Amino acid sequence: MQDFGEAFSLAFGLVLHPSADLIEIVSLSLRVSLTATVLACLFGLTLGAVLAIARFPGRGAVLIVLNALMGLPPVVVGLLVYLSLSRAGPLGFLGLLYTPTAMIVAQTILITPIVAALSRQVLEDLHDEYRDQFRSLCLSRVQVVQALLWDGRIALTTVALAGFGRAVAEVGAVMIVGGNIDHLTRVMTTAIALETSKGELALALALGIVLMGIALGVNALVQTLRLSSERQQAHA
């Protein structure tokens, strides 16, 4: 128990006075996850918008697959990206395996279905609400999408934050494609796993505290945006 108390004391000390290693790990984690979130939003919001307003044969099957991909096991994503980027894989010539870029690719693939499925529901609900108005204005599909994205910007921001929260907490896929290489691909989740296995609890706990702080901050921001959206709707 005394060892645990000492570990917590050292961990809080590292958080209050972060070392260069801790700053490097946290910075890389944020850079990888934020980049993956931006890319996932570009792909996911586009796909979500298309599925929200388009009607075509097989749309139901596409939605079923998309919803199923929301629960895609991270280690499966990591394995597929690993096979694609390995020397024997189709993209091996790029030399991206065990780099931050490979980790961004894995996280983007992992969270794009989440962003697409959630945004599709948001945009489809808005489209159903404004369908007659759009028809009366004779708007093109591009204009309809632009209007939906603007009107649903607060809800879509919460979708993006949900994607970021999923990305920054990922460990399985980034471990496989990144290799947890010190000063190159070591992020918070993989560092926590490594330091815990080594018995170095202070750094693991410090990173855990930072990760929990980020998660709480994201959830608080999501809740704030939801309350703000509800207030705007109530005053509308």
Side-chain angles (χ1 to χ4, degrees):
M1 186 66 71
Q2 185 178 2
D3 291 340
F4 285 133
E6 182 180 357
F8 273 104
S9 177
L10 292 172
F12 281 109
L14 283 173
V15 173
L16 295 176
H17 305 284
S19 64
D21 285 343
L22 188 141
I23 293 174
E24 181 183 52
I25 291 170
V26 173
S27 298
L28 180 61
S29 297
L30 294 176
R31 179 161 60 89
V32 168
S33 297
L34 285 172
T35 304
T37 302
V38 171
L39 293 174
C41 286
L42 290 176
F43 298 130
L45 291 178
T46 302
L47 179 58
V50 170
L51 292 175
I53 66 174
R55 295 296 181 269
F56 53 88
R59 179 177 179 274
V62 172
L63 294 181
I64 291 174
V65 172
L66 183 62
N67 290 329
L69 290 177
M70 292 178 65
L72 193 63
V75 290
V76 174
V77 173
L79 177 59
L80 293 176
V81 175
Y82 177 89
L83 293 175
S84 298
L85 298 180
S86 64
R87 290 185 178 181
L91 301 177
F93 66 94
L94 296 175
L96 296 178
L97 194 61
Y98 301 135
T99 66
T101 301
M103 300 160 68
I104 291 171
V105 170
Q107 287 192 0
T108 300
I109 294 174
L110 189 63
I111 64 176
T112 293
I114 298 174
V115 174
L118 295 179
S119 63
R120 192 276 309 172
Q121 187 61 60
V122 170
L123 297 174
E124 187 170 339
D125 291 342
L126 288 174
H127 186 254
D128 291 341
E129 182 179 352
Y130 298 131
R131 187 192 305 272
D132 294 337
Q133 187 174 356
F134 289 150
R135 287 177 178 172
S136 66
L137 295 173
C138 299
L139 299 180
S140 66
R141 287 195 172 185
V142 173
Q143 291 174 317
V144 169
V145 169
Q146 290 175 341
L148 291 176
L149 290 175
W150 174 253
D151 197 64
R153 61 192 182 279
I154 295 179
L156 295 176
T157 301
T158 65
V159 171
L161 289 172
F164 171 74
R166 179 68 183 85
V168 78
E170 171 51 34
V171 59
V174 296
M175 180 79 81
I176 293 174
V177 302
N180 196 25
I181 303 171
D182 196 17
H183 303 300
L184 181 61
T185 59
R186 185 162 296 169
V187 293
M188 285 187 286
T189 51
T190 59
I192 290 172
L194 176 65
E195 296 301 318
T196 301
S197 66
K198 290 164 52 180
E200 300 291 340
L201 298 181
L203 181 56
L205 286 170
L207 291 168
I209 292 170
V210 173
L211 190 57
M212 284 297 298
I214 292 172
L216 290 173
V218 169
N219 286 324
L221 186 55
V222 167
Q223 187 63 24
T224 300
L225 290 172
R226 285 179 178 174
L227 292 175
S228 176
S229 178
E230 291 174 359
R231 287 170 186 163
Q232 287 183 4
Q233 292 176 0
H235 290 304

